[in-house]
């Protein structure tokens, strides 16, 4: 006869974690392709049509476009980093422990967009579409990440404060 605690342990070993199965199986390839395609599409857009469309914007909208472009490219680089780490684990090039150590450098859902402002609607439709798709993909990947590797990590007191770092850079730049 088994004890209740033994039954629970057996159930945990038999539990299929769908997010983990997705990230560590051939089912991961469509997500990887989607992310890398979005990175490529964004690069082509920003270097081509986006550049000429941005020149036609008002000064204020142009400033928002520049800021959102930086957020978008940063977001996509974080997504690409996560996807490449998962692919390396999926292909056996990295252990799960190595991926966990490296993915601490990846920040998902940390670059908020100003798409809730009325001015955001003045930006080119193609650009807004890329921002929207990147947000949706980032949320999906962040959800997968939390399901696979656990909840959000609590920042320790001695960890660098990204806002503080940016303020220090600004002070240095403006000699304040």
């Amino acid at each position: 006869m088994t004890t209740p605690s033994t039954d629970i342990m057996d159930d945990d070993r038999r539990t299929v974690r769908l997010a983990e199965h997705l990230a560590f199986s051939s089912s991961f390839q469509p997500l990887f392709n989607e992310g890398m395609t979005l990175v490529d599409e964004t690069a082509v857009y920003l270097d081509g049509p986006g550049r000429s469309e941005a020149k036609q914007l008002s000064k204020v909208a142009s400033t928002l476009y520049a800021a959102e472009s930086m957020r978008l490219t940063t977001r996509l680089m974080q997504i690409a980093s996560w996807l490449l780490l998962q692919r390396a684990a999926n292909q056996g090039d990295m252990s799960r422990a190595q991926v966990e150590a490296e993915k601490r450098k990846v920040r998902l859902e940390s670059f908020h967009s100003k798409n809730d402002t009325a001015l955001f609607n003045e930006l080119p439709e193609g650009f807004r579409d890329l921002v929207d798709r990147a947000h949706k993909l980032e949320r999906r990947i962040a959800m997968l990440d939390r399901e696979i590797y656990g909840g959000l990590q609590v920042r320790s007191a001695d960890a660098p404060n990204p806002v503080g770092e940016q303020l220090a850079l600004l002070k240095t730049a403006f000699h304040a």
Side-chain angles (χ1 to χ4, degrees):
M1 181 171 180
T2 61
T3 64
S5 62
T6 307
D7 290 342
I8 291 171
M9 288 175 57
D10 288 342
D11 286 343
D12 282 345
R13 279 185 248 146
R14 289 187 301 223
T15 300
V16 175
R17 294 190 174 133
L18 295 178
E20 197 164 343
H21 176 71
L22 169 69
F24 291 99
S25 72
S26 61
S27 300
F28 172 73
Q29 194 61 44
L31 179 64
F32 181 84
N33 292 343
E34 179 184 352
M36 292 309 180
T37 299
L38 185 56
V39 168
D40 288 341
E41 282 180 41
T42 301
V44 168
Y45 174 83
L46 292 175
D47 283 341
R51 189 175 303 235
S52 60
E53 290 172 354
K55 291 177 182 176
Q56 298 172 12
L57 296 172
S58 70
K59 189 176 268 190
V60 176
S62 181
T63 302
L64 179 62
Y65 179 86
E68 288 301 315
S69 295
M70 288 189 293
R71 284 186 190 98
L72 176 60
T73 55
T74 301
R75 177 176 292 112
L76 289 172
M77 290 303 101
Q78 296 299 311
I79 288 170
S81 296
W82 191 90
L83 290 169
L84 289 166
L85 284 170
Q86 286 307 125
R87 184 177 72 171
N90 201 5
Q91 294 176 343
D93 296 334
M94 293 177 76
S95 70
R96 182 179 171 136
Q98 288 172 313
V99 170
E100 285 183 26
E102 287 298 315
K103 77 167 213 68
R104 289 187 185 124
K105 300 172 189 171
V106 176
R107 301 278 182 250
L108 298 172
E109 296 185 308
S110 59
F111 304 100
H112 299 290
S113 177
K114 301 293 181 202
N115 61 358
D116 56 348
T117 66
L119 195 56
F120 188 80
N121 291 328
E122 291 181 29
L123 299 179
E125 184 179 342
F127 180 75
R128 292 190 321 252
D129 178 59
L130 290 169
V131 169
D132 184 53
R133 289 171 49 206
H135 271 283
K136 288 176 181 174
L137 182 59
E138 181 185 38
R139 282 193 300 269
R140 283 176 40 214
I141 289 173
M143 186 175 68
L144 270 175
D145 185 74
R146 283 189 300 272
E147 288 181 31
I148 296 166
Y149 299 104
L152 297 173
Q153 299 168 354
V154 178
R155 201 167 58 83
S156 67
D158 61 341
N161 177 344
V163 173
E165 290 174 354
Q166 292 299 313
L167 289 173
L169 288 172
L170 285 171
K171 285 180 184 178
T172 302
F174 293 107
H175 307 292

